[in-house]
């Protein structure tokens, strides 16, 4: 049976039975019972007044869909956040404060900043998805995390119908983690964020091994932020699959962080194992290496596989369902657990 779309108010329409394949980078063909695209923050207040958040379960929030696994058809309505806009709110000789709508494409925001010579987020170039999702897992790459430049965000709280501002300490950022992945999961709809970027002098972060190698090979001894941006774009293109060609959600698991004594026992068995210090006597082990050692790199089972250049990326070779992808992730998890006694924790948000 087809249901007619319902107009809640001008510019706010609840669409029925919407195919979500174009809205998630794994390319899962799930269907949303109801789907609303939110292009301004007032819409959230209107939806609240209409009782949208009281008589239904909390909706599923979607940005660019680049870090979600739709395990099946979502049981709750889907809200796609598409709030636009980038503006400078204030500046001094050295700093600039910028505000961006949650729907702004993250890479476009990075490009916008680099074009104006505003430094601080150039290492985060080419991360897919929206600006509003960036705080959820405190996106990070090539030695930099969102939290390094983050000042605050504004969010709508569907329980109370109010907006709240969350400052740096409120967000409890960690490695691929924030309060919005834990206590406030699904309870805060981010509408915009504020970042503090540097006009001058810039702080170049080229300490990540892949960036260092890139600059050594290119003979660049004093990179500027545009060089870092270009290098990150080039390294990422060589390593990670383009979701428009091969469905994926980036790293499927987080890199496990283990204590030093466990690491030392493991290192005796695997002296070639790569590792990185993670503070407080903790060591980070690349999950990609563990998965490769367990024999999964480039391996394909039916429609699902791991990427040939990066074992941490699970790929959809065709028409894989969410359940198939999930099953593959569980198989990988089990085999790494058996071989290394390490539990891999998904980075990707599994939505049911
Ligand atoms: P979605 O996938 O739509 O949502 C992710 C989560 O955030 C969901 O739980 C969703 O409910 C929630 N959410 C989304 N928007 C909002 C909002 N406005 N308010 C409240 N909750 C919201 N990540 C990294 O950190 N570093 C990388 O280097 C990196 N590389 C990647 C490479 C590839 C090829 C791909 C496909 C992904 C990569 N990712 C990386 C993961 C992903 O790009 C980031 O997590 C990104 O921030 C997700 O943004 P999104 O808009 O697509 O979020
Ligand atoms: N490795 C292998 N085999 C593989 C993949 C990696 O041995 O198949 C080894 C590499 O040789 C290297 C180490 O693992 O020694 C690290 O690899 P890489 O530099 O590719 O980074 P990563 O740890 O796999 C992390 C992030 C990425 C981010 C890059 C760059 C996580 C979970 N992933 O990947 O983020 O882009 O570093 O900073 O922290 C994402 O979150 O979706 C994502 C892509």
């Amino acid at each position: 049976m087809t249901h007619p779309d319902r107009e809640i108010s001008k510019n706010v329409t609840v669409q029925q039975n919407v195919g979500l394949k174009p809205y998630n980078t794994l390319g899962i063909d799930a269907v949303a019972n109801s789907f609303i695209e939110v292009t301004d923050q007032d819409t959230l207040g209107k939806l609240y007044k209409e009782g949208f958040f009281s008589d239904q379960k909390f909706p599923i929030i979607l940005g660019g869909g680049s870090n979600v696994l739709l395990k099946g058809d979502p049981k709750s309505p889907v809200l796609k956040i598409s709030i636009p806009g980038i503006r400078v709110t204030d500046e001094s000789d050295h700093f600039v404060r910028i505000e961006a709508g949650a729907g702004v494409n993250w890479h476009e925001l990075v490009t916008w900043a680099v074009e104006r010579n505003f430094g601080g987020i150039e290492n985060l170039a080419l991360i897919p998805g929206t600006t509003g999702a960036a705080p959820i897992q405190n996106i990070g790459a090539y030695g930099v995390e969102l939290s390094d430049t983050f000042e605050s965000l504004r969010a709508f709280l569907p329980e109370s119908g109010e907006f709240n501002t969350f400052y740096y300490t409120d967000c409890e950022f960690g490695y691929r983690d924030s309060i919005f992945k834990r206590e406030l999961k699904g309870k805060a709809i981010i509408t915009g964020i504020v970042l503090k970027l540097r006009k001058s002098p810039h702080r170049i972060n080229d300490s990540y091994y892949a960036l260092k190698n890139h600059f050594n090979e290119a003979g660049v001894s004093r990179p500027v932020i545009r060089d870092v941006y270009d290098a990150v774009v080039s390294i990422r293109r060589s390593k990670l699959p383009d979701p428009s060609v091969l469905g994926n959600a980036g790293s499927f698991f987080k890199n496990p962080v283990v204590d030093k004594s466990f690491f030392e026992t493991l290192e005796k068995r695997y002296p070639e194992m790569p590792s990185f210090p993670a503070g407080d006597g903790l060591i980070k082990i690349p999950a990609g290496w563990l998965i490769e050692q367990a024999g999964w790199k480039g391996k394909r089972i039916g429609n699902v596989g791991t990427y040939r250049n990066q074992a941490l990326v699970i790929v959809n070779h065709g028409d894989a369902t969410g359940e198939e992808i999930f099953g593959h992730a569980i198989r990988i998890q089990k085999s790494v657990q058996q071989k290394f006694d390490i539990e891999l924790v998904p980075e990707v948000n599994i939505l049911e």
Side-chain angles (χ1 to χ4, degrees), residues 10 36 68 81-82 113 129 131 151 189 207 299 313 323 332:
K10 200 165 170 280
I36 303 177
V68 292
I81 307 300
S82 303
T131 297
E151 273 215 343
I189 304 174
S207 54
K299 196 164 176 175
V313 179
E323 283 290 354
I332 290 175

Side-chain angles (χ1 to χ4, degrees), residues 94-107:
H94 300 298
F95 292 101
V96 59
R97 199 167 268 118
I98 64 164
E99 191 177 285
V104 171
N105 174 278
W106 173 259
H107 179 63

Side-chain angles (χ1 to χ4, degrees), residues 67 127 137 140-143 175-176 208-210 236 239-240 249-255 274 276 284 286-290 292-293 297 307-313 347:
N67 208 24
I127 297 182
Q137 70 161 10
Y142 299 94
Y175 162 62
R176 297 295 188 272
Y208 198 87
Y209 77 97
R236 292 184 70 98
K239 271 197 189 176
L240 293 165
S251 302
F252 198 92
F253 300 99
K254 295 187 200 184
N255 285 327
F276 304 91
K284 195 184 271 185
W289 185 85
L290 297 169
E292 179 174 351
Q293 296 303 309
K297 191 167 183 171
Y307 190 50
R308 58 186 149 75
N309 295 340
Q310 214 331 339
L312 188 46
V313 179
E347 176 198 294

